Amino acid sequence: MKRLRNVKIVATLGPASDDYEMIRALAEAGADVFRLNMSHGEHEEIRVRHEIIRKIEADLGAPIAILADLQGPKLRVGKFAKDSEELEVGAKFRMDLDDAAGDINRVQLPHPEIFAALEPGTSLLVNDGKIRLKVDACGADFADCTVTVGGTISNRKGVNVPDVVLPVAALSDKDRRDLEFVCELGVDWLALSFVQRADDVREARDLAMGRAAILSKIEKPAAVKDFDRILEVSDGIMVARGDLGVELPVQNVPPIQKRLIRKCRAAAKPVIVATQMLESMIDSPMPTRAEVSDVATAIYEGTDAIMLSAESAAGSFPIEAVTTMNNVAIEVESDPNYRAVIDASRHALIGEHRSSIADGIVSAAREIAETADIKAICCFTQSGTTALLVARERPAVPIIGLTSDVRTARQLSLSWGTNCVVTGPVDRFKMAVVGAARAARDLGYADSADNIVVTAGVPFNTPGTTNILRVAPCEERLIFNSEAE
């Protein structure tokens, strides 16, 4: 499927997008990656959705990435005798380990690990920050608080603790079971929730054992502080703005988003901007102007992907939401200012990160494509690294990633501007050129009068060996002669 844009679209599946016809319609409307939210749905439901996506992938003849989003530990208060209470500003309120039903004065918080990390002055946020408490005194089994922002507190509402690093693992027992299930199922990406430190990512990587790439969700202040180390051990990043906006002042989120996108590009690792991008389209066929501007801003900043959550999973207009994202992306990327912004940021972001032969090859490929009349950059890649390096350059021509590993092709579906083609094994550079020319023609990016740039590594099928660049024609004669041989 030929896309008219470079940024990728991630669509979450759910009750509103649960059968072959709808999921295929979402793919045809522009979805490049499908997200399976492990917070909702039994394993059998997840299995059925996975099978549907793989069938659509085969029917459309294009790799599709599947992202399994692990739930992470959920920190919640207990239950109230009256189901809810109204907390007034200035009132005193206690959280403790007592499992007795709560009232206007106290409620259970069944997480001793939270009490172990608290200290006077710490903030506790309840129900997505709608209620805010300040800890006055605390111990191993209690926290006496003052209500600083009041409201209705009710059964099982979530609790956030933004001021401290909690001694809580990013993977709950449920997450470990889910991780093993989806890895055996064959997902391409694992999104890890509740990341606070690089060690959280290492644990998930050890459990995945190479069966899926690891994408860290940045949704806690601790993760922002430790971002460089988290990025180093991650394969990709999700800027999860919803939880960030709860645990941090909302005005802090836009500059954090911009900073994380730039760091991910410099590291040649894909980044998704997520949460509330077109939220009004859950109930409306049209987005707000502010939402359109939000999507456009992420694209101007150079993100690899933009994500729909409830809009496509549970909303009334999933196809319209994907179509809107697709149309906004096409319009933004057609703006001369977009290319100017992307090009201007290149040297500042990645100049000091070019240190290998592969860095030089992909930089030269982009410069040749900009200087001459080149229709596409075709890169042979085994692990996906070369294609990621080309994407980091943000060239003005399409990127075609060719690989014999279908897992690599699927994972690259998340990477900016990368169109993936699964090829047979290649052992000669001449055949690589022929395969690249055929792919460029078949995808509609070039015809017989056009030239392409081809990058590859010798010996073939060995990760990290990119060392050849060639400008090649897409002549039919070249392809037919090679087939005759």
Side-chain angles (χ1 to χ4, degrees):
M1 294 181 293
K2 181 180 180 180
R3 303 297 195 201
L4 301 178
R5 52 168 165 80
N6 292 302
V7 71
K8 301 302 180 70
I9 295 175
V10 182
T12 304
L13 299 185
S17 46
D18 206 28
D19 57 37
Y20 177 93
E21 289 74 19
M22 176 58 77
I23 298 173
R24 176 163 180 160
L26 294 177
E28 292 175 336
D32 305 288
V33 180
F34 287 109
R35 171 176 173 253
L36 305 177
N37 188 353
M38 303 308 293
S39 299
H40 306 289
E42 300 298 324
H43 280 186
E44 188 54 34
E45 295 176 70
I46 299 297
R47 184 191 305 277
V48 170
R49 288 171 187 161
H50 182 277
E51 291 174 353
I52 291 172
I53 296 167
R54 290 297 180 234
K55 186 176 189 313
I56 292 169
E57 178 184 65
D59 292 346
L60 295 178
I64 297 174
I66 301 178
L67 166 67
D69 195 333
L70 302 178
Q71 176 178 283
K74 292 299 180 185
L75 309 177
R76 301 180 185 278
V77 299
K79 293 185 177 181
F80 289 84
K82 298 179 181 179
D83 292 332
S84 66
E85 294 286 353
E86 195 72 23
L87 299 186
E88 300 287 343
V89 173
K92 300 299 181 181
F93 192 77
R94 168 176 278 219
M95 290 188 173
D96 55 41
L97 293 178
D98 186 349
D99 62 3
D103 55 29
I104 193 65
N105 299 308
R106 60 155 296 279
V107 73
Q108 181 192 26
L109 180 61
H111 303 286
E113 61 273 20
I114 292 182
F115 296 117
L118 294 180
E119 56 186 37
T122 301
S123 296
L124 292 172
L125 313 180
V126 184
N127 192 14
D128 291 335
K130 295 182 177 66
I131 295 172
R132 294 177 177 256
L133 311 174
K134 183 177 180 181
V135 176
D136 299 320
C138 54
D141 59 356
F142 78 96
D144 288 329
C145 308
T146 298
V147 179
T148 58
V149 177
T152 303
I153 186 170
S154 56
N155 297 336
R156 306 292 297 157
K157 288 302 181 184
V159 177
N160 295 78
V161 191
D163 300 338
V164 297
V165 176
L166 294 175
V168 178
L171 293 171
S172 65
D173 291 340
K174 174 186 181 331
D175 294 324
R176 291 184 177 88
R177 293 192 297 271
D178 289 345
L179 184 152
E180 184 60 28
F181 171 73
V182 296
C183 283
E184 284 298 302
L185 203 57
V187 302
D188 309 298
W189 287 89
L190 281 171
L192 184 62
S193 301
F194 209 86
V195 173
Q196 298 185 96
R197 56 184 83 78
D199 284 345
D200 295 331
V201 187
R202 293 189 183 97
E203 180 186 4
R205 186 176 297 284
D206 289 343
L207 292 172
M209 295 185 293
R211 292 172 292 176
I214 306 298
L215 186 142
S216 297
K217 295 169 66 175
I218 307 302
E219 52 191 353
K220 299 188 71 62
V224 175
K225 292 178 182 177
D226 200 32
F227 182 72
D228 289 346
R229 282 184 286 270
I230 290 171
L231 177 61
E232 185 178 352
V233 297
S234 304
D235 299 305
I237 295 293
M238 181 189 295
V239 185
R241 306 177 305 172
D243 284 302
L244 270 182
V246 170
E247 299 211 3
L248 289 169
V250 291
Q251 66 269 20
N252 290 9
V253 176
I256 289 173
Q257 172 180 312
K258 184 182 291 289
R259 187 164 71 249
L260 300 192
I261 290 172
R262 290 169 67 87
K263 288 189 174 186
C264 289
R265 181 181 170 192
K269 295 184 178 182
V271 55
I272 304 171
V273 174
T275 319
Q276 299 178 325
M277 300 214 79
L278 295 175
E279 188 161 357
S280 69
M281 293 193 74
I282 296 171
D283 301 308
S284 169
M286 291 292 292
T288 67
R289 306 304 184 267
E291 289 168 338
V292 171
S293 293
D294 179 41
V295 172
T297 296
I299 298 170
Y300 276 113
E301 289 171 348
T303 189
D304 288 84
I306 44 183
M307 192 176 98
L308 295 167
S309 299
E311 301 96 327
S312 58
S316 300
F317 304 96
I319 296 174
E320 290 83 352
V322 173
T323 300
T324 296
M325 269 196 165
N326 184 69
N327 291 342
V328 172
I330 291 171
E331 190 67 24
V332 168
E333 293 182 11
S334 299
D335 177 12
N337 286 329
Y338 169 78
R339 177 47 53 184
V341 169
I342 293 296
D343 289 346
S345 63
R346 181 181 297 113
H347 179 73
L349 289 180
I350 65 178
E352 65 186 53
H353 291 268
R354 296 188 183 117
S355 58
S356 68
I357 293 173
D359 291 326
I361 291 285
V362 300
S363 178
R366 190 258 312 156
E367 291 203 26
I368 291 169
E370 291 177 352
T371 303
D373 186 16
I374 300 297
K375 297 302 181 183
I377 297 174
C378 302
C379 52
F380 281 81
T381 182
Q382 189 67 14
S383 65
T385 300
T386 303
L388 292 172
L389 291 175
V390 176
R392 180 175 71 175
E393 296 284 332
R394 299 295 192 261
V397 300
I399 304 166
I400 302 176
L402 301 106
T403 180
S404 59
D405 189 335
V406 67
R407 294 186 306 170
T408 296
R410 288 167 175 164
Q411 289 173 1
L412 287 172
S413 297
L414 187 59
S415 181
W416 185 97
T418 307
N419 307 273
C420 301
V421 176
V422 180
T423 68
V426 175
D427 56 8
R428 290 187 298 154
F429 186 64
K430 178 178 180 182
M431 296 310 298
V433 172
V434 170
R438 182 184 291 113
R441 288 167 61 97
D442 290 348
L443 290 171
Y445 291 117
D447 57 35
S448 59
D450 295 323
N451 289 326
I452 58 174
V453 169
V454 182
T455 70
V458 176
F460 278 96
N461 303 316
T462 302
T465 59
T466 300
N467 52 20
I468 297 177
L469 182 153
R470 177 179 169 185
V471 176
C474 288
E475 298 173 349
E476 291 184 25
R477 174 179 56 82
L478 175 70
I479 297 174
F480 291 152
N481 287 349
S482 68
E483 291 174 342
E485 292 178 8

